[in-house]
């Protein structure tokens, strides 16, 4: 893995740190429009593919049977902050399936933001599975298990019918064979399968456009895409990159972050799917990489320009709030994108 | 900057992420014993050199004039968790200088651990400068300013007599010229000067042994070294790498972490100073790098072996606490260390 430096971090006039990475952009024909770094090596997609993992929930009819709202489908695709609105919605999703929070097998997690953690503490509570950033995805898995009529216990195991369904859909969407030896356990205890970045980009080109998908799957993808676009706060929450971009781009872009520096997106107007990873796993870099790709790719209005400019060049601040440096795309990264997209 | 991959992160059988970096080890003659990656490029030392920044406090006589204890001198070298014991000790250091917490110019910071943040929240308080991980260093700067008889306001500015003193000591310890153009602003608002890693390693070889230092400075270094060794909890706190290693090695090793993946150490029995940086700024990698260097360098008893084994190979856990992967040194890193230290 000898991928180029795509993002650096300055302090004063000095480059303090840098992040290497790789980017794959694929069109609806499956053509690799842009490949920066090694896009053939397998990477774990982690949470960046939650929207694909939610496809069985919708195309099985379970989402309808459970009467899930757009907000709840968005939560099924989310890595949320564990704010009250997220935890409560996950609880309602479970109730709709006739289950309680004790059915969750994702493990507990403190809410992302101090103020939400503080509310729990003030109420003398500790976090539970509902606050886990993956609780909506897990509530979706449990709802699917109920509608499928299979046992819910052990729904996180690779051998469980729900995970077998998810794996099959991932194989179809990526065009990749997912075997045991590329399977790892995600932080929320479900299996995660490593595939090439270009395969994930291909999947998200189809997800955002329906191109090449069976009608039932195309409908399911469209419904999940629209749910996330309509309810972007449920996908992440306050002060979060995914929420800000999906709010600001009003349907032009679907995108989803994942742990260890992964980011995926669909840009329907161009027919592009995007998948990228920062080699060292840093979210600060994967966010700048995604913002830079979108800025290079899209014609922007004034509001969109202002939004992306901030995300392409986030400031490094002191604890008094003064700017000490900047995170920014490297010249090589900008040049490579320009060449690929021109 | 094309430094080797020194640490990787596995999940299942796949390498999920990797961290590049560089390591400099220098002996008391100033000889570069080991150079992995580019040790000539300038890096910001950030908090890894707090013990050197505390030298003026001691050698000026200010530490004696203020009657500072070992615990307080250790806190002056600390990046602490902001636990009650840390915040309270910083408050006492300020009181000894006739100052209150409002004199601190480091800015507020939430305590590192949720349980300490929770205590603040339950008391309906917000964090202040005392909870800033650098509050002990700042209390030391303020004490020095008082004893020097200069104004305390603006003590974080590069032009202030205290920061001029610190800069002079850093130039002498590193043997490097520190000019404006390599100066950045640290997160706690003081100036930080970028020097080559090999220069910081040289400084810590002298710090741990006194070799080549004037008697007054050698005494000050010994006092700070012993203060940190005797009070390792004040340097960091619960569940922290620096505290665990200094507690476990009982005087054999002084070490200090810094932001953006920097780590420095002194190993007096070998006469070595160590300075390393993870290129992408990840602390999880700089800790594994330091643990790996110590393991390669030192003859270990059973307890030390157990301690370092855990730090060389920290597990990646799911939120239910199951092991999903591992952080570990690369084969290239181990081979390079073996060659250099044999």
């Amino acid at each position: 893995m000898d991928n180029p430096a795509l993002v650096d971090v300055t302090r004063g006039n000095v480059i303090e740190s840098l992040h290497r990475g790789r980017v794959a952009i694929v069109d609806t024909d499956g053509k690799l429009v842009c490949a920066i770094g090694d896009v053939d090596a397998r990477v774990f997609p982690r949470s960046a593919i939650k929207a694909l993992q939610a496809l069985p929930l919708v195309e099985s009819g379970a989402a309808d049977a459970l009467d899930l709202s757009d907000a709840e489908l968005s939560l099924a695709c989310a890595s949320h902050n564990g704010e009250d609105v997220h935890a409560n919605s996950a609880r309602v999703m479970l109730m709709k399936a006739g289950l309680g929070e004790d059915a969750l097998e994702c493990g507990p997690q403190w809410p992302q933001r101090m103020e939400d953690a503080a509310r729990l503490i003030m109420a003398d509570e500790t976090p539970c599975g509902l606050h886990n950033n993956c609780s909506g995805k897990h509530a979706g898995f449990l709802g699917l298990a109920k509608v499928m009529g299979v046992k819910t216990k052990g729904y996180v195991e690779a051998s469980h019918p729900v995970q077998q369904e998810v794996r099959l859909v991932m194989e179809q969407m990526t065009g990749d064979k997912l075997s045991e030896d590329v399977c790892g356990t995600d932080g929320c205890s479900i299996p995660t399968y490593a595939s090439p970045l270009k395969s994930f980009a291909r999947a998200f080109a189809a997800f955002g456009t329906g191109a090449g998908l069976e009608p039932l799957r195309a409908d399911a993808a469209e419904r999940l895409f629209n749910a996330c676009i309509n309810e972007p706060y449920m996908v992440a929450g306050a002060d979060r990159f995914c929420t800000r971009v999906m709010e600001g781009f009003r349907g032009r872009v679907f995108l989803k972050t994942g742990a260890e520096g992964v980011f995926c997106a669909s840009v329907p107007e161009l027919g592009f799917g995007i998948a990228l990873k920062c080699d060292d796993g840093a979210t600060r870099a994967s966010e700048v990489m995604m913002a830079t790709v979108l800025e290079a790719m899209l014609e922007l209005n004034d509001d969109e320009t202002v939004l992306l400019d901030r995300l392409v060049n986030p400031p490094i601040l002191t604890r008094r709030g003064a700017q000490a440096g900047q995170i920014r795309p490297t010249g090589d990264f900008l040049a490579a994108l320009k060449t690929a997209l021109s």
Side-chain angles (χ1 to χ4, degrees), chain A:
Chain A
M1 243 196 298
D2 204 17
N3 300 309
L6 300 183
V7 171
D8 61 27
V9 182
T10 67
R11 183 171 299 271
N13 300 319
V14 178
I15 292 174
E16 181 164 28
S17 297
L18 60 78
H19 299 279
R20 293 167 182 267
R22 38 215 150 122
V23 179
I25 306 175
V26 169
D27 68 17
T28 48
D29 296 329
K31 196 183 123 225
L32 195 56
V33 174
C34 171
I36 300 173
D38 182 356
V39 299
D40 295 306
R42 288 177 183 274
V43 306
F44 287 118
R46 309 296 302 274
S47 291
I49 55 155
K50 278 175 174 165
L52 309 181
Q53 292 171 320
L55 285 167
L57 175 67
V58 177
E59 63 191 23
S60 67
D64 283 334
L66 297 167
D67 191 27
L68 296 184
S69 66
D70 266 8
E72 288 157 355
L73 286 177
S74 179
L75 195 73
C77 304
S79 297
H80 61 71
N81 280 341
E83 300 170 42
D84 282 352
V85 66
H86 302 122
N88 290 338
S89 294
R91 193 192 309 271
V92 171
M93 287 178 73
L94 290 170
M95 284 170 57
K96 287 181 174 180
L99 296 167
E101 63 181 86
D102 54 321
L104 291 172
E105 297 179 4
C106 49
Q109 181 183 4
W110 278 100
Q112 178 81 7
R113 299 188 311 161
M114 188 58 76
E115 59 207 273
D116 296 307
R119 258 195 293 279
L120 278 187
I121 291 163
M122 300 292 272
D124 203 20
E125 290 175 19
T126 50
C128 67
L130 294 171
H131 302 99
N132 186 308
N133 79 84
C134 305
S135 65
K137 177 182 70 178
H138 281 250
F141 288 153
L142 282 162
L144 176 58
K146 286 292 269 188
V147 174
M148 287 170 76
V150 298
K151 70 176 166 53
T152 55
K153 193 169 162 57
Y155 72 91
V156 297
E157 303 300 329
S159 57
H160 188 278
V162 162
Q163 299 305 333
Q164 296 279 2
E165 274 300 306
V166 170
R167 173 175 162 179
L168 181 65
V169 168
M170 285 307 304
E171 286 192 331
Q172 292 166 346
M173 294 296 288
T174 57
D176 189 31
K177 178 95 186 75
L178 302 180
S179 61
E180 271 305 292
D181 58 314
V182 298
C183 182
T185 305
D186 212 324
C188 68
S189 298
I190 71 161
T192 177
Y193 295 91
S195 289
L197 272 185
K198 66 180 184 188
S199 305
F200 295 121
R202 166 195 149 139
F204 278 96
F207 177 79
T209 60
L213 301 182
E214 298 296 320
L216 187 69
R217 178 154 299 165
D219 287 351
E222 189 178 1
R223 184 156 168 205
L224 287 166
F225 184 99
N226 288 334
C228 294
I229 293 304
N230 294 336
E231 298 282 355
Y233 199 88
M234 299 306 279
V235 172
D239 307 324
R240 288 280 302 276
F241 187 99
C242 289
T243 294
R244 290 172 69 188
V245 172
M246 285 198 281
E247 277 177 358
F249 278 85
R250 301 169 176 282
R252 298 184 69 189
V253 175
F254 163 86
L255 79 180
K256 182 67 190 68
T257 191
E260 293 290 336
V262 179
F263 226 128
C264 291
S266 296
V267 183
E269 69 191 69
L270 299 172
F272 288 166
I274 307 162
L276 60 84
K277 178 173 164 78
C278 168
D279 288 357
D280 59 71
T283 298
R284 69 177 181 184
S286 62
E287 290 182 346
V288 166
M289 287 161 67
M290 180 55 81
T292 303
V293 169
L294 293 176
E295 192 169 63
M297 178 182 282
L298 290 165
E299 295 209 24
L300 304 174
N301 67 29
D302 289 351
D303 288 348
E304 291 163 345
T305 301
V306 169
L307 172 64
L308 276 193
D309 277 355
R310 283 192 201 135
L311 298 174
V312 168
N313 292 301
I316 297 287
L317 302 175
T318 70
R319 297 206 185 269
R320 295 199 296 185
Q323 182 160 357
Q326 194 176 44
I327 312 177
R328 60 183 195 182
T330 61
D332 285 354
F333 185 24
L334 293 171
L337 280 175
K338 195 171 175 184
T339 303
L341 297 171
S342 64

